[in-house]
Amino acid sequence: MTEDQLDAARQLARQLRVDSIRCSTQAESGHPTSSMSAADLMAVLLLRHLRYDWDRPDLPTNDHVVFSKGHASPLLYAMFRAVGVVTEEELLKTYRQLGGRLQGHPTPVLPWVDVATGSLGQGLPDAVGIAIAGKYLDKLPFHVWVLCGDSEMSEGSMWEALDKGGYYGLGNLTAIVDVNRLGQRGPTELQWDMDRYAARVEAFGCRPIVIDGHDPGAIDRALTEAGGDGDRPAVVLARTLKGKGVAEVEDKEGWHGKPFPPDLAERAIAELGGTSDILIATRLPEPGRPAGSNGSAKDGDAQVTLPTWERGEKVATRRAYGDTLAALAARGDVVALDGEVGNSTYAEEVKKAHPERFFEMFIAEQQLVAAAVGLAARGYTPFASTFAAFFSRAYDFVRMAGISQVDIRLVGSHAGVEIGADGPSQMALEDLAAMRAVHGSVVLYPSDATSTAQLVRLAADTPGIVYLRTTRGAYRVLYAADEPFPIGGAKVLRAGDRDAVALIGAGVTLHECLAAADDLDDEGVRTRVIDLYSVKPVDREALVDACNVTGGRLVVVEDHYPQGGMGAAVMEALAAAPVPPPRVAHLAVQGLPTSGTTTELLDAAGISARHIVDAARKLLAG
């Protein structure tokens, strides 16, 4: 860098620090000192290395900037002011205010933000998905720059990200770690032990570059080396000072997450040289178009022929999922990811048919979901699968995906006690409740191969987070191949005007409900059977009709703990409905299961056909 360029970087860094102080002091909230430590890093990135057309944030060749340390939002918004997309008035008057775009932590309500961050340890894993899209699907030369905090380097998800970045040779990914030594309550785990940071980075297959994070020339050389797009991600380990530039707070504890009071802010701004209105133009990216089909260029369903099965044939819904996804992958936007259980989830069928659009995340469920988020941010249609129980490891990533408002599909197999001898560690018994609680989610639970195929097809084009629960065992096909399964619907398999009781199930319990209905019919009890395949949104109309016909006698049966699953969905739907007072028997897994056969475990849990019959009899007797 020339002396003029060095001076320009220093001046821009001062402005970024000043604006970080101004907006957080005005809001009486925020993280100015965490922003100030990284200001030199971001100034050099903006002036010298970022390739971005700010008027066209959807341009496919734009670089990507992800603030994994999302609490440094004052710095990010100060950067947006410096490039002219956020005004000084918006920065100072709306930061952290109700209804404003400049929220406490970044969200994609701003078109220059790819993913929501703020829950630490997520931005870098999400960026891995963006970089995978760039290298393997888009095949475009954009670079992904991620600002990380040193505190979040204690998160295992950060090392999952570096591991997978190294595995996939993501030379188009650079993590810039702001090693300012101080976390929320005091010193970080490694403080300024740069050698240990570097050794860890190297061990995970990435390129460490250790620098003084306040030396513009050193930063420029590091970003030049990092942006060379080699065969490994670069990790710039920048030693910095928290609160850099203001002597009263620089490298001092007790200032994390605290805005400066007005008098200190005035002194700090004066010390930094006062306010300024530097407006810069970043480098524009080269023109180019994605090689594959992302969300802006879907191939459409015309090329997709769904698999079909004969009624009565026994097929596991997990198998139907894999076969259907392989067929759906004829669309160029569909991408499959799995957590090293693809021969059980049957996601491996995509790998066989379209290996270029299957990505193995191994036993790293946080990275599995994060990669799906990153791919979705690039416009692709990702399906991520693993055992349903193991999504609990990545629940915070699912929750944050809801805040990012991305469209991802999560498919959990081996759910409930139905899985049999593996025992409770493998049994998802909380997943319906967890996924129903996520903002913008859709929760589906098919009962046969046909409904699975139809719901997987619909999931591909359903916005938000779609969770689909599949079953380990093979069960008979109930529906014809052309049967529709609208999201938010239900199927009434048996019904009459004089039904005395309604049995409501999904997945394995629907088959138990059908068996119970046969037994009740033999006793002369007219029985309605409802397939509640859409758990969220739920078919309120079908439930209201069942209540009106049966006098409110419902038996809800689920292979799940009682809290938050199908029973809760049914009662929530009926809470304000104009129906007779529901008399609901809720059969669910009450205790801690053990190993056993499927038949033994369903019966021990009280959700087998004989228990359903008993519950119906009690309702009728009451």
Side-chain angles (χ1 to χ4, degrees):
M1 295 177 72
T2 65
E3 282 301 320
D4 287 346
Q5 290 170 333
L6 289 169
D7 185 60
R10 294 186 187 104
Q11 289 186 41
L12 177 58
R14 283 194 289 270
Q15 176 172 298
L16 297 178
R17 289 188 172 97
V18 167
D19 282 351
S20 297
I21 294 168
R22 294 168 75 201
C23 70
S24 53
T25 293
Q26 180 68 29
E28 299 181 347
S29 177
H31 294 74
T33 58
S34 297
S35 300
M36 295 160 71
S37 58
D40 295 298
L41 298 164
M42 293 300 99
V44 174
L45 178 66
L46 280 179
L47 287 170
R48 299 270 296 162
H49 298 277
L50 187 68
R51 297 166 295 182
Y52 201 96
D53 187 335
W54 295 98
D55 294 326
R56 301 171 65 193
D58 293 331
L59 195 68
T61 50
N62 279 337
D63 282 356
H64 295 260
V65 177
V66 178
F67 263 47
S68 198
K69 65 176 280 182
H71 55 285
S73 61
L75 173 59
L76 180 64
Y77 303 151
M79 292 166 63
F80 291 163
R81 179 187 171 234
V83 298
V85 294
V86 165
T87 66
E88 181 180 37
E89 181 178 22
E90 182 177 14
L91 179 68
L92 297 183
K93 292 186 177 180
T94 73
Y95 177 55
R96 289 189 169 227
Q97 302 304 304
L98 181 65
R101 299 188 302 170
L102 309 185
Q103 299 181 29
H105 294 79
T107 73
V109 69
L110 292 162
W112 317 283
V113 173
D114 290 301
V115 293
T117 56
S119 179
L120 291 178
Q122 300 219 14
L124 183 59
D126 290 349
V128 166
I130 297 172
I132 284 175
K135 179 171 182 174
Y136 291 99
L137 301 172
D138 292 334
K139 297 183 179 178
L140 290 173
F142 65 72
H143 202 87
V144 186
W145 306 94
V146 189
L147 179 64
C148 307
D150 51 354
S151 286
E152 70 179 332
M153 298 307 288
S154 294
E155 291 277 11
S157 58
M158 299 294 280
W159 301 100
E160 286 185 12
L162 293 180
D163 179 60
K164 301 307 173 291
Y167 177 80
Y168 279 108
L170 300 180
N172 57 346
L173 173 65
T174 295
I176 305 170
V177 185
D178 179 17
V179 187
N180 64 27
R181 190 184 73 85
L182 293 175
Q184 177 167 325
R185 61 97 194 98
T188 58
E189 180 183 356
L190 297 185
Q191 300 192 50
W192 283 321
D193 192 339
M194 310 305 283
D195 290 341
R196 288 178 69 188
Y197 274 119
R200 292 183 180 188
V201 167
E202 183 71 38
F204 277 84
C206 300
R207 298 178 288 148
I209 305 171
V210 179
I211 61 168
D212 175 351
H214 300 307
D215 178 344
I219 296 168
D220 183 61
R221 290 189 294 273
L223 297 187
T224 300
E225 180 181 348
D229 290 343
D231 59 358
R232 293 190 297 165
V235 180
V236 177
L237 298 164
R239 176 171 171 152
T240 63
L241 295 170
K242 199 164 187 172
K244 171 67 176 176
V246 177
E248 289 182 60
V249 301
E250 192 174 279
D251 192 35
K252 289 183 171 59
E253 296 184 28
W255 281 101
H256 182 90
K258 292 183 179 179
F260 294 178
D263 58 338
L264 174 56
E266 185 177 354
R267 293 194 300 275
I269 292 169
E271 184 178 352
L272 288 164
T275 60
S276 58
D277 295 301
I278 298 170
L279 188 65
I280 66 167
T282 55
R283 298 165 58 199
L284 293 177
E286 297 294 327
R289 299 184 63 182
S293 296
N294 59 19
S296 62
K298 289 184 179 179
D299 290 341
D301 281 355
Q303 301 181 32
V304 176
T305 302
L306 298 183
T308 59
W309 300 269
E310 296 294 327
R311 281 185 174 178
E313 184 180 354
K314 287 194 171 183
V315 182
T317 56
R318 61 187 172 117
R319 175 83 220 203
Y321 159 69
D323 291 345
T324 303
L325 191 60
L328 198 64
R331 286 173 34 164
D333 61 303
V334 172
V335 182
L337 307 98
D338 198 82
E340 203 190 307
V341 288
N343 59 341
S344 290
T345 63
Y346 284 99
E348 69 175 12
E349 297 306 310
V350 178
K351 184 177 182 180
K352 295 174 185 176
H354 301 277
E356 74 283 1
R357 279 183 282 116
F358 176 89
F359 296 96
E360 179 63 76
M361 292 295 121
F362 301 96
I363 305 297
E365 289 84 6
Q366 295 179 107
Q367 184 57 62
L368 172 69
V369 175
V373 169
L375 286 161
R378 283 295 307 132
Y380 289 93
T381 303
F383 284 77
S385 53
T386 185
F387 286 12
F390 303 152
F391 276 121
S392 61
R393 291 179 175 174
Y395 188 67
D396 191 27
F397 284 78
V398 180
R399 180 186 70 86
M400 287 295 292
I403 297 172
S404 288
Q405 300 183 65
V406 292
D407 303 334
I408 62 173
R409 297 94 194 145
L410 308 176
V411 181
S413 71
H414 292 65
V417 301
E418 186 272 344
I419 71 167
D422 279 340
S425 69
Q426 312 295 293
M427 298 172 179
L429 292 164
E430 313 85 2
D431 56 318
L432 297 178
M435 296 300 182
R436 284 182 67 233
V438 172
H439 172 72
S441 67
V442 170
V443 179
L444 307 172
Y445 190 10
S447 302
D448 80 337
T450 297
S451 57
T452 302
Q454 295 294 336
L455 291 171
V456 169
R457 179 183 63 82
L458 286 174
D461 296 315
T462 298
I465 298 165
V466 181
Y467 176 65
L468 189 137
R469 191 189 216 214
T470 63
T471 305
R472 181 180 188 178
Y475 297 91
R476 65 189 179 92
V477 176
L478 302 172
Y479 300 103
D482 59 352
E483 185 75 22
F485 287 84
I487 291 182
K491 290 294 176 184
V492 181
L493 283 82
R494 300 187 186 188
D497 295 339
R498 296 160 62 188
D499 291 333
V501 64
L503 311 181
I504 302 170
V508 64
T509 64
L510 179 67
H511 296 272
E512 296 296 321
C513 286
L514 289 168
D518 289 339
D519 292 341
L520 289 166
D521 284 347
D522 290 343
E523 298 176 11
V525 178
R526 294 179 181 270
T527 306
R528 180 168 299 209
V529 178
I530 298 175
D531 178 357
L532 204 72
Y533 65 83
S534 182
V535 183
K536 179 189 178 185
V538 73
D539 190 338
R540 184 171 179 267
E541 183 178 343
L543 297 172
V544 167
D545 185 57
C547 279
N548 286 330
V549 172
T550 66
R553 287 183 289 266
L554 309 177
V555 181
V556 182
V557 193
E558 58 182 315
D559 193 0
H560 188 275
Y561 285 138
Q563 294 79 19
M566 290 170 52
V570 169
M571 294 308 295
E572 289 165 14
L574 296 176
V579 296
R583 290 180 284 168
V584 178
H586 184 199
L587 306 186
V589 181
Q590 300 287 342
L592 183 66
T594 66
S595 292
T597 66
T598 296
T599 300
E600 290 170 337
L601 288 165
L602 292 173
D603 196 60
I607 57 175
S608 63
R610 75 177 182 92
H611 291 285
I612 299 170
V613 170
D614 287 344
R617 288 174 181 153
K618 289 177 182 176
L619 284 178
L620 293 165

